[in-house]
Amino acid sequence: MPAHAAMPLSDALCTFSSGLDSSISETLKQADKFNCSDNKYSVQGPKVWIKIPFKADTLPPGTIEVQGDNNGLTAMSVHSVLEDGSIRSANYSEKAVREHWRPKGQYGLPVPGSDNAQLRNDIKTVYVSIDHPRVVSSISISQLASKKVWDDRKLPLSVMFAILCGMAVMPLIYNAFFYSALRYNFMLWHSVMAAATTIYTFSSSGLIFIAFPETTLTTKFLLNYWTLAFGIAASGFFLIGFLERGKISWRLQAVILVTALFPVAATAIILHGNEGYNMYARNQYHASFLPYFFVIIYTMVHAIRRGSRAIWFQVAAWSPIIFFGLDRIARGMDIYIGIPALDYGLYFTLVIETIILAFGVANRILQLRRHHEDSMRKQVELTLLADTDGLTAIGNRRAFERAFHDKSPEYRFDHLAILDIDFFKHVNDEYGHETGDDVLRAVGKELANTRHFVARIGGEEFALLMKTKNRANRGSSSAVELSEICQRLIKAVHSDVPQIKRAVTFSVGVTSIGKRASLRSVMAVADKRLYDAKNNGRNQIVSFDISDLPKPHTDAATA
């Protein structure tokens, strides 16, 4: 055996149960009652004695200590029985056991007399008593190890676990930063998973005793069990929210949630109180994780077959956890003792999982944002198509009505003008409808260059919602500005549709828009004034009521 190796005792130790008041002397008198068979871990009494052979020549030099799982331990004692029958004893309170913690959730209690090189050769057997043990692993993974080696390992291992905790915390910071803006629920569940991983690593590794020295071993025990249960539960909700819609059936989603929550329910039943706990409950606790593990394996295959891309992050993150987790479950159910060093693998894979899934979350967010942007772009395109006149590429009547009713600052109009092309029917009859369409396009193009909201609301009829009350237009009226617009329209039609030899003119009716005026009433006034402009000879702008003025003689042609 290497000089610094620990000596596992699972095959060599024997156990015996007794009352709390039983002493080492009374126990030695019942040495023949120690159980060394395969069912030696089926202990029943409130105090459990462990009988350990001490072979000095196979152990590392220096002080030797007994190590084991410290979850939920209370008072303990360690006794060395020498060749001459004398006994060296050391008693430890729950606080003293806590202070003798070792990284990765173990205790390390020195064997009395092992610090004396001559005396330790006379040690024949070591007896360890544990009051109210909570987990079988406090007995089953017992080992004799070098105190100096583990003293030397304490700092580097604590630093390693601190680094792992820091790595596990990073996704929490990432999610907290982005969730306020993005609001994807799976980010919350990923945060719960990362928090559970961080707390579990912080507690079970022993770092909790550095940060919070007064933490009891029972508190540590409860934290270990609950954080794993909640982490598993959160992972089920995360999986359903994280994967693309439709990649897992609703029936499978229900199975995932039930099996993910099962460990939480099992933990609540098992840990309902100190008096209600028994050592066999640990087997039931670990067994409660098995259904979820098998469901996750099936879900991975199921989602891959359905073409999920996001599931590959789960495959990369959870495959190692499933391997180490199944080993941990098997040892927790006492199916076999296993290799305690594999626990280090579980710590690393738990932390690596949170990091891999952090990249998965980032990738999924990018996918969802692209999908959202595509949907918004399509929605905008559809809205534009619905609000745009197909011929002139300006707003249609639907867009005009929406703009009139919009009360936002950029849509506070004070005048409405209805513009009509004079004798447009003659243009269609003389030059054809294609030329007429060219005229409409030219008008729409020029109107679009104005600062007003413009729309085609009927055949050759256009509407302008105008904002004239600003510094740039102070002193100018809507009629003056409309006159300038009409002049530009005449030039634009002449330039873009040169086959029309005569000038194409425009009639305009304009009215102010009151604060509480309805579209119907404003349209009626503007339409009436447009009608007055046409009846008064066309090619003019009417901004007030001229119905009662004498009408000049006009051509009998109609618009």
Side-chain angles (χ1 to χ4, degrees), residues 195-362:
T197 297
T198 304
I199 296 172
Y200 174 77
T201 304
F202 181 74
S203 173
S204 63
S205 66
L207 291 179
I208 192 170
F209 298 125
I210 297 177
F212 307 101
E214 297 305 314
T215 302
T216 66
L217 293 173
T218 297
T219 299
K220 170 185 173 291
F221 165 73
L222 295 174
L223 279 176
N224 293 353
Y225 275 50
W226 275 115
T227 50
L228 281 180
F230 278 121
I232 287 293
S235 71
F237 287 92
F238 169 79
L239 177 62
I240 292 174
F242 179 73
L243 294 187
E244 304 92 335
R245 189 182 297 274
K247 298 305 180 183
I248 48 178
S249 67
W250 66 268
R251 289 187 180 87
L252 181 55
Q253 291 182 30
V255 173
I256 291 171
L257 294 181
V258 169
T259 54
L261 290 170
F262 187 62
V264 176
T267 305
I269 295 171
I270 292 167
L271 304 181
H272 60 80
N274 292 343
E275 295 181 0
Y277 181 83
N278 62 74
M279 292 184 69
Y280 301 105
R282 175 175 176 266
N283 301 38
Q284 299 161 8
Y285 170 81
H286 285 88
S288 68
F289 291 86
L290 274 177
Y292 182 70
F293 274 57
F294 292 124
V295 168
I296 288 300
I297 294 172
Y298 175 80
T299 301
M300 289 179 180
V301 177
H302 175 82
I304 290 172
R305 287 179 175 175
R306 287 198 170 197
S308 172
R309 296 177 61 186
I311 192 62
W312 288 106
F313 286 98
Q314 263 86 8
V315 172
W318 289 356
S319 294
I321 288 181
I322 290 173
F323 172 77
F324 286 103
L326 289 175
D327 168 76
R328 183 67 171 270
I329 290 172
R331 287 189 284 124
M333 295 174 64
D334 298 322
I335 295 175
Y336 71 104
I337 300 300
I339 305 173
L342 289 176
D343 286 342
Y344 289 107
L346 182 61
Y347 285 116
F348 278 98
T349 54
L350 282 172
V351 173
I352 291 172
E353 175 231 17
T354 61
I355 296 172
I356 292 176
L357 290 185
F359 285 108
V361 167

Side-chain angles (χ1 to χ4, degrees), residues 64-206:
I64 299 299
E65 62 183 20
V66 180
Q67 295 181 354
D69 191 344
N70 67 5
N71 267 319
L73 292 182
T74 54
M76 295 182 64
S77 63
V78 181
H79 310 272
S80 298
V81 178
L82 279 59
E83 291 284 353
D84 59 6
S86 61
I87 302 172
R88 299 293 178 94
S89 299
N91 298 310
Y92 300 92
S93 65
E94 187 275 337
K95 181 180 179 182
V97 175
R98 180 182 69 225
E99 292 172 348
H100 283 80
W101 67 273
R102 290 301 186 190
K104 204 181 69 61
Q106 293 190 328
Y107 63 83
L109 303 179
V111 174
S114 64
D115 55 338
N116 185 312
Q118 183 176 357
L119 189 61
R120 84 176 224 158
N121 291 326
D122 294 332
I123 299 175
K124 180 181 178 182
T125 309
V126 174
Y127 289 85
V128 179
S129 72
I130 305 175
D131 291 357
H132 299 296
R134 286 182 172 271
V135 293
V136 175
S137 53
S138 295
I139 306 168
S140 62
I141 65 172
S142 296
Q143 63 180 20
L144 296 175
S146 167
K147 182 178 183 299
K148 182 180 184 306
V149 168
W150 280 93
D151 283 341
D152 293 341
R153 289 179 181 177
K154 196 168 188 177
L155 177 60
L157 285 177
S158 296
V159 171
M160 180 193 75
F161 282 118
I163 293 173
L164 290 177
C165 286
M167 294 169 65
V169 164
M170 292 306 295
L172 281 173
I173 300 172
Y174 171 88
N175 289 338
F177 183 79
F178 286 103
Y179 178 76
S180 58
L182 301 176
R183 301 287 178 177
Y184 294 124
N185 286 338
F186 63 79
M187 298 177 70
L188 292 178
W189 293 117
H190 183 242
S191 295
V192 175
M193 294 167 61
T197 297
T198 304
I199 296 172
Y200 174 77
T201 304
F202 181 74
S203 173
S204 63
S205 66

Side-chain angles (χ1 to χ4, degrees), residues 38 156 169 199 253 344 352 412 463 471 489 493 509 525:
D38 292 339
V169 164
I199 296 172
Q253 291 182 30
Y344 289 107
I352 291 172
R412 289 176 183 170
R471 293 184 178 181
L489 289 175
V493 173
V525 175

Side-chain angles (χ1 to χ4, degrees), residues 7-15 34-38 40-41 49-55 58-59 124-127 139-144 337:
M7 179 181 177
L9 304 170
S10 57
D11 295 331
L13 61 80
C14 303
T15 64
F34 272 82
N35 185 354
C36 302
S37 66
D38 292 339
K40 57 189 171 185
Y41 302 120
W49 291 87
I50 310 171
K51 178 182 178 182
I52 304 170
F54 192 90
K55 300 177 180 179
T58 63
L59 293 169
K124 180 181 178 182
T125 309
V126 174
Y127 289 85
I139 306 168
S140 62
I141 65 172
S142 296
Q143 63 180 20
L144 296 175
I337 300 300

